Amino acid sequence: MKGVMKSKNKTQANRMLVTNQQNPKSKVRYGGSRWGIYSFFVLSGQAVATLLGRLYFDKGGNSKWMSTFVQLAGFLLLHPFYCTLLPKNSTTDSIDTDRPPALTFAFLYVSLGILQAGMCLLYSYGMSNLPVSTFSLICASQLGFNALFSFFLNAQGFTFFITNSLVLLTISSALLVFQSDDSSDSKKITRGKYIIGFLCALFASAGCAPMLSLTQFAFKKIIKRNTMRGMMDLIIYQSIIATCLALAGLFASGDWKVLKKEMEEYELGKVSYLMILIWIAAGWDVFNIGAVGLIFEVSSLFSNVISTLGLPIVPVLAVVFFHDKMDGVKVVAMLLAVWGFVSFMYQHYLDDSKFKAERENATQVSQASTSEEVQI
């Protein structure tokens, strides 16, 4: 009987060890250098691309479809690296008979591409009709949407601190509905356009949530390759679909006809016009690599948390470079959003402590079982 109990204890301990090793959260602990780099990509890419995106509209740019296109077309900068430097892992792919058929991958890339194109178009409308500080604060609500979708798709648990975080972020975004017209930037924004911009930014944030959660789900259930190649495949192929849709919209809307005139009449000149668009594309591309990398290394919710961490950065930079006004409503909204972020990170700290305790306990049980067997 004792032998059976020891065998069960050892089996349970081994299972706990295997589960801990396979748990994606463990990558946060042991892949710190990678997710540190990805976090930097998210924060820097988001800040640069958001500010330049607003600069495009502030100095004479009007095309929402061009703004959408450059948010997506940055993957072209990655293409040489993707084709020449990344290993193809053909032997691994041929041996892996568990992988879904090509049609499943096609459906995945098309679905994510459509979501990404729609989200970027809504972001363009939001950015063109809102001060950049207000826009970035509204985008913080995507953390709440993402937690909700992660609950259904990726079994993300809801605790007091996560719920508190969602409530605070919701209130933070809701406060901005009551923003007065006096807080708009140098390019006067009417109340009607403000409401349209607010709704577009809010719906874009809501659309970002299922896309990130579906990306995490795809890594777990469909792609099943913990390699850089698998991550880049997802970025490249979904970006191809999204960019083609944006390009089709650019021509279907007729915006392409006025681009030459827009460039010639741009306040900062033709060269600045082109450079701003190129750096917007590069900024969002860096952001996408970081966001998908964090999903790959940790989870979609953690990726969104790091994105929200950049919340105080953009509004402060907007005050410096665009002279946005930080009135009382915006300050309260920012404080609530930061409070929500801290609440979420505290829950992450508790999960981390629990994970370490379980891992140490599993190791001790395994060692005790092994030593008892040796004595016998």
Side-chain angles (χ1 to χ4, degrees):
M1 189 70 180
K2 289 182 179 179
V4 173
M5 291 299 294
K6 289 173 186 175
S7 177
K8 285 184 178 179
N9 287 339
K10 184 178 180 183
T11 302
Q12 185 178 8
N14 289 336
R15 283 178 181 173
M16 291 176 70
L17 281 170
V18 170
T19 302
N20 286 338
Q21 288 170 358
Q22 292 177 345
N23 192 333
K25 288 183 180 180
S26 63
K27 293 179 182 179
V28 181
R29 288 84 183 175
Y30 305 111
S33 60
R34 286 196 299 273
W35 70 256
I37 294 171
Y38 290 141
S39 298
F40 174 75
F41 282 175
V42 167
L43 295 174
S44 59
Q46 176 181 248
V48 171
T50 302
L51 290 171
L52 289 178
R54 182 55 200 169
L55 183 64
Y56 165 75
F57 288 110
D58 201 44
K59 299 300 180 181
N62 294 305
S63 175
K64 314 299 187 299
W65 281 106
M66 173 54 76
S67 174
T68 303
F69 175 75
V70 296
Q71 290 179 55
L72 300 166
F75 80 95
L76 294 172
L77 301 174
L78 283 177
H79 200 261
F81 168 76
Y82 176 76
C83 292
T84 59
L85 298 180
L86 285 181
K88 293 186 178 180
N89 296 327
S90 56
T91 55
T92 304
D93 293 342
S94 61
I95 294 174
D96 189 2
T97 57
D98 241 8
R99 294 190 67 206
L103 188 62
T104 303
F105 282 93
F107 180 76
L108 170 67
Y109 297 141
V110 170
S111 300
L112 290 175
I114 292 172
L115 273 174
Q116 188 178 20
M119 182 187 70
C120 289
L121 180 62
L122 288 172
Y123 270 134
S124 295
Y125 273 93
M127 193 177 298
S128 65
N129 292 317
L130 292 174
V132 68
S133 54
T134 304
F135 173 80
S136 63
L137 288 170
I138 294 172
C139 289
S141 63
Q142 71 185 37
L143 180 60
F145 290 116
N146 188 238
L148 187 62
F149 277 95
S150 292
F151 174 76
F152 291 107
L153 286 177
N154 302 310
Q156 172 69 45
F158 268 63
T159 64
F160 169 77
F161 292 106
I162 288 181
T163 304
N164 181 59
S165 175
L166 303 186
V167 171
L168 291 171
L169 290 169
T170 301
I171 296 174
S172 172
S173 295
L175 280 175
L176 296 173
V177 176
F178 306 102
Q179 179 77 24
S180 65
D181 291 339
D182 295 335
S183 65
S184 61
D185 58 7
S186 57
K187 186 178 181 179
K188 193 67 175 178
I189 299 171
T190 64
R191 188 65 179 174
K193 286 185 175 181
Y194 183 93
I195 296 298
I196 292 173
F198 178 89
L199 292 175
C200 286
L202 188 64
F203 286 138
S205 298
C208 181
M211 193 179 86
L212 292 175
S213 297
L214 283 172
T215 300
Q216 181 181 349
F217 181 82
F219 275 126
K220 287 182 178 180
K221 304 296 183 181
I222 300 176
I223 298 175
K224 299 179 182 178
R225 282 188 298 168
N226 295 328
T227 63
M228 179 65 73
R229 183 81 186 187
M231 188 183 84
M232 293 303 297
D233 280 346
L234 183 66
I235 294 174
I236 294 292
Y237 291 134
Q238 81 174 41
S239 295
I240 289 174
I241 300 297
T243 303
C244 288
L245 291 174
L247 197 59
L250 183 64
F251 282 93
S253 65
D255 280 8
W256 66 276
K257 298 178 182 178
V258 299
L259 290 180
K260 183 178 179 181
K261 181 181 178 183
E262 181 178 279
M263 181 173 64
E264 292 174 347
E265 296 179 355
Y266 199 67
E267 291 182 26
L268 300 179
K270 296 180 182 179
V271 175
S272 295
Y273 178 85
L274 292 174
M275 292 303 297
I276 286 171
L277 293 180
I278 290 171
W279 282 106
I280 290 174
W284 283 122
D285 193 41
V286 169
F287 171 82
N288 286 334
I289 293 171
V292 175
L294 287 175
I295 295 172
F296 172 75
E297 291 289 338
V298 193
S299 70
S300 61
L301 202 52
F302 188 81
S303 177
N304 223 326
V305 167
I306 296 301
S307 177
T308 308
L309 178 59
L311 170 70
I313 300 174
V314 176
V316 170
L317 293 177
V319 172
V320 175
F321 294 107
F322 294 97
H323 308 294
D324 280 4
K325 296 179 181 178
M326 290 295 289
D327 59 9
V329 175
K330 280 187 183 179
V331 171
V332 172
M334 181 184 292
L335 291 175
L336 287 175
V338 172
W339 184 6
F341 170 77
V342 171
S343 179
F344 186 92
M345 287 304 295
Y346 182 68
Q347 181 60 53
H348 185 75
Y349 165 76
L350 294 178
D351 291 340
D352 180 64
S353 300
K354 182 180 178 182
F355 172 84
K356 289 180 179 178
E358 289 177 351
R359 190 172 187 277
E360 289 175 1
N361 182 52
T363 303
Q364 290 173 0
V365 171
S366 179
Q367 290 174 348
S369 300
T370 303
S371 63
E372 286 177 4
E373 286 184 355
V374 170
Q375 290 176 2
I376 292 174

